[in-house]
């Protein structure tokens, strides 16, 4: 009797696993199909970069989805050019932080399409551009910090130096200038008999 129950349970378990696998496979196929469908709609709207990302989603769900790969390869170049344009525009307008974000996205996109052999054109060195934007962003904030430091606006100078370091650390003498700024704030607080505030800033100096 027990043996019959065990055999029955084993068969039931096997069927449950099979049903679960079928559900997972069906969901995966449906999700990848829907991603391709969204991609096709975005192509009609001429939003090729967003369309390419939908085809990539489909391939992430089903790497063997040849239709998605074919469509991705067909629009990869125009999608790349569509993403490159705002990055270059931000760079030209000296908005290096926004340019940095765009180049980071572009770098990830190039890596993704390359993994499916769809990098069928010559692209910029996105990683090099990222390094350039980081350096340019650091320099921009460093110069702003220097102006504030020179006018003895030490609190704001500290924030600008720290922002410069967010993009490149170390960067020039930012760390030393931050310490000097805290020291100057502490000195001023001491003369004003704000001793607790002075102590806090001496600690940071």
């Amino acid at each position: 009797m027990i043996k019959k129950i065990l055999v029955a349970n084993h068969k039931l378990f096997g069927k449950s696993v099979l049903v679960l696998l079928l559900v997972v496979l069906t969901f995966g196929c449906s999700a990848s199909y829907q991603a391709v469908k969204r991609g096709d709609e975005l192509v009609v709207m001429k939003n090729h970069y967003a369309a390419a990302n939908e085809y990539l989603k489909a391939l992430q769900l089903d790497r063997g989805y040849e239709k998605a790969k074919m469509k991705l390869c067909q629009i990869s170049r125009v999608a790349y050019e569509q993403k490159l344009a705002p990055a270059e525009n931000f760079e030209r307008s000296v908005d290096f932080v926004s340019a940095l974000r765009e180049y980071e996205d572009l770098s990830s996109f190039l890596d993704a399409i390359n993994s499916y052999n769809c990098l069928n054109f010559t692209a910029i060195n996105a990683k090099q551009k990222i390094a350039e934007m980081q350096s340019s962003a650091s320099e921009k904030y460093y110069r702003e910090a220097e102006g504030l430091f020179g006018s003895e606006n030490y609190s704001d100078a500290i924030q600008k130096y720290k922002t410069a370091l967010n993009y490149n650390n170390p960067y020039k003498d930012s760390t030393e200038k931050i310490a000097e700024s805290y020291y100057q704030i502490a000195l001023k607080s001491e003369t004003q008999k704000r001793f607790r505030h002075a102590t806090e800033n001496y600690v940071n100096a």
Side-chain angles (χ1 to χ4, degrees):
M1 183 69 180
I2 294 174
K3 187 176 180 180
K4 287 182 179 179
I5 292 172
L6 290 173
V7 169
N9 286 338
H10 180 73
K11 288 181 178 178
L12 180 62
F13 176 76
K15 288 180 180 178
S16 298
V17 170
L18 182 60
V19 169
L20 180 61
L21 284 171
L22 287 171
V23 168
V24 170
L25 287 170
T26 301
F27 173 78
C29 291
S30 175
S32 57
Y33 171 81
Q34 290 300 322
V36 168
K37 185 179 178 182
R38 287 193 300 271
D40 292 345
E41 291 168 355
L42 287 162
V43 167
V44 172
M45 297 165 62
K46 298 191 183 303
N47 190 345
H48 296 94
Y49 179 72
N53 278 292
E54 289 297 332
Y55 296 143
L56 283 167
K57 285 179 187 176
L59 287 165
Q60 287 165 2
L61 291 165
D62 180 4
R63 190 173 181 87
Y65 198 167
E66 288 299 321
K67 187 177 181 180
K69 182 180 177 181
M70 179 191 70
K71 288 174 178 287
L72 175 64
C73 291
Q74 285 175 342
I75 67 164
S76 60
R77 179 166 190 154
V78 66
Y80 156 78
E81 290 171 348
Q82 216 167 54
K83 188 62 176 175
L84 178 62
E88 291 181 331
N89 287 337
F90 281 128
E91 184 179 357
R92 278 192 292 268
S93 64
V94 199
D95 185 351
F96 300 118
V97 174
S98 296
L100 173 61
R101 284 195 294 266
E102 295 293 331
Y103 281 123
E104 286 174 337
D105 288 345
L106 186 60
S107 179
S108 297
F109 176 72
L110 289 171
D111 287 343
I113 64 174
N114 189 43
S115 69
Y116 295 104
N117 299 316
C118 287
L119 187 54
N120 48 24
F121 54 90
T122 302
I124 62 164
N125 187 333
K127 290 179 174 56
Q128 181 181 326
K129 295 299 292 185
I130 289 170
E132 289 174 7
M133 292 307 100
Q134 288 173 328
S135 180
S136 296
S138 289
E139 180 61 22
K140 178 177 181 290
Y141 285 111
Y142 178 83
R143 287 182 179 179
E144 291 176 5
E146 288 285 270
L148 292 164
F149 185 89
S151 62
E152 299 183 2
N153 185 348
Y154 298 115
S155 294
D156 288 344
I158 288 169
Q159 297 310 312
K160 293 293 183 179
Y161 284 126
K162 285 183 176 180
T163 304
L165 289 172
N166 284 341
Y167 298 100
N168 272 301
N169 192 354
Y171 190 77
K172 296 187 175 179
D173 60 348
S174 294
T175 302
E176 292 79 3
K177 288 290 182 65
I178 289 171
E180 177 64 21
S181 296
Y182 277 120
Y183 180 74
Q184 293 298 331
I185 293 170
L187 282 178
K188 186 175 181 179
S189 295
E190 193 173 356
T191 60
Q192 296 171 341
K193 301 187 184 304
R194 297 166 61 204
F195 299 116
R196 172 182 258 175
H197 189 254
T199 301
E200 290 172 352
N201 284 280
Y202 277 130
V203 169
N204 289 321

